[in-house]
Amino acid sequence: MKKKMAMILIASMMMSLSVGCGNGPQGGEASEENKTTETVAPATETIVSTGTKKVGIIQYVEHPSLDTIRESTIKALEEQGFVDGENITIDYQNAQADQSNLNSIASKFVGEKTDVVIAIATPSAQVMAAATSDIPIIFSAVTDPLGAKLVDSLESPSGNVTGTSDAIPVDETFELCKALTPDVKTFGFLYSAAEVNSESVINEAKKIAKDYGFDYKESTITATTELQQAAEILASKVDAIYVPIDNNIASAMPVLSSVGKSAGIPVYVGADSMVQDGGYATVGINYEDLGQKTGEMVADVLNGKEISEIPVATLDHFYKVINKTTAKAIGAPDNAEGATIVE
Ligand code: TRP
């Protein structure tokens, strides 16, 4: 009842506004016919100019992969006609891997009634989703959206959250390991205890390790300050290290890369950027493509599409990447069939 009255009020206010516009400076001289045309034009203009939508970006940490995602999401939005400073305002916030920063960014976006939020990486998507059930959230590069409890269905999410996933094939990385470094018997799984995205990949790795004849040991860290020591201890006990798509470790790859090189063992990783930053090899996805897809989804939301009509998207094209410099340092092959080589 209240709602109806409010709507009637708004409607009558808009009508009087239109009439007001029509009676502008030239209104008096215009003929009846002209008056009608003039009345319509300014009213439409008013709606367009108040239509600048606020787009919030909450990014967990700065590392090359997440930066690539953000940049290509913004580029895709532009291609879809949504340009920062023109018809949208983008507010980019980076939490620097800090949980309390994530919380304050999320409350800021809720308080400012941001129209749509892009949440890059699992930790930011989880905090943002917990902060609002109204504002549409498009996540990007969430490895396991179901495991992270962001959506109840990948095909038709029922809440205010959907997005893109960077789920990866651990089995293909194990196959690459068999081809490049066939002497590996024991893997060391290294990851952040708090990252669900890493945990679910490691669970899969543990499940299939036997099929490839691998034993494994594991080590978890709670902060990047622990990385060096954890990696050194693990490296002394295993033939190769495997790190999943782990944000904290990705932000400190040079540390891990030099541990691998000193121990003379390969460090297999979950993402191309981690190979660029000194890891040995991966089978992963293209994060520019993922950002592109994310931007298209955000544009859909800005155009009024319902979240339930936007399924979670995953990429099914994977590519091998090998770091030539790292390969030389550990005396391993610097090429494989169809691989992209970086230095
Ligand atoms: N998949 C990660 C997550 O769910 C985010 C991520 C994207 C990432 N690209 C990466 C992590 C590269 C490490 C390296 O949070």
Side-chain angles (χ1 to χ4, degrees), residues 55-58 69 73 77 115-121 124-125 128-129 132 135-142 150-151 157 159-165 290-302 305-313:
V55 177
I57 301 181
I58 178 167
I69 293 167
T73 300
L77 266 174
D115 293 285
V116 54
V117 175
I118 303 165
I120 305 179
S124 32
M128 200 59 230
T132 176
I135 301 174
I137 300 168
I138 301 294
F139 58 74
S140 190
V142 167
L150 288 167
V151 292
N160 58 320
V161 185
T162 189
T164 58
S165 167
L290 200 77
Q292 167 81 30
K293 185 71 205 154
T294 310
E296 289 167 8
M297 284 183 177
V298 179
D300 282 346
V301 170
L302 290 169
K305 202 164 179 178
E306 296 292 330
I307 292 289
S308 60
E309 291 167 16
I310 310 176
V312 172

Side-chain angles (χ1 to χ4, degrees), residues 60 63 65-66 69 120-123 140-144 166 195 197-198 244-251 270-274 287 290:
Y60 177 52
H63 64 67
S65 193
L66 301 190
I69 293 167
I120 305 179
T122 301
S140 190
V142 167
T143 307
D144 182 2
D166 61 350
E195 290 193 43
N197 41 296
S198 298
I245 328 179
D246 189 290
N247 290 290
N248 283 309
I249 299 181
S251 71
D272 52 3
S273 66
M274 298 166 92
Y287 283 92
L290 200 77

Side-chain angles (χ1 to χ4, degrees), residues 236-259:
S236 68
K237 301 178 188 160
V238 299
D239 310 313
I241 285 179
Y242 176 65
V243 180
I245 328 179
D246 189 290
N247 290 290
N248 283 309
I249 299 181
S251 71
M253 262 314 281
V255 173
L256 177 59
S257 164
S258 68
V259 172

Side-chain angles (χ1 to χ4, degrees), residues 307-331:
I307 292 289
S308 60
E309 291 167 16
I310 310 176
V312 172
T314 47
L315 300 185
D316 51 14
H317 178 75
F318 305 111
Y319 78 124
K320 293 176 201 164
V321 191
I322 297 174
N323 186 313
K324 199 173 169 180
T325 315
T326 305
K328 285 220 169 79
I330 59 170

Side-chain angles (χ1 to χ4, degrees), residues 39-98:
T39 309
V40 175
T44 320
E45 248 172 42
T46 311
I47 292 165
V48 172
S49 64
T50 55
T52 306
K53 296 263 173 78
K54 287 186 207 160
V55 177
I57 301 181
I58 178 167
Q59 182 173 322
Y60 177 52
V61 66
E62 254 170 57
H63 64 67
S65 193
L66 301 190
D67 295 339
T68 300
I69 293 167
R70 188 187 68 250
E71 284 156 16
S72 49
T73 300
I74 294 172
K75 192 166 147 250
L77 266 174
E78 279 172 11
E79 285 163 10
Q80 300 289 321
F82 293 102
V83 182
D84 185 24
E86 288 182 16
N87 52 355
I88 56 168
T89 307
I90 295 180
D91 183 358
Y92 162 51
Q93 299 288 333
N94 193 302
Q96 313 292 352
D98 183 291

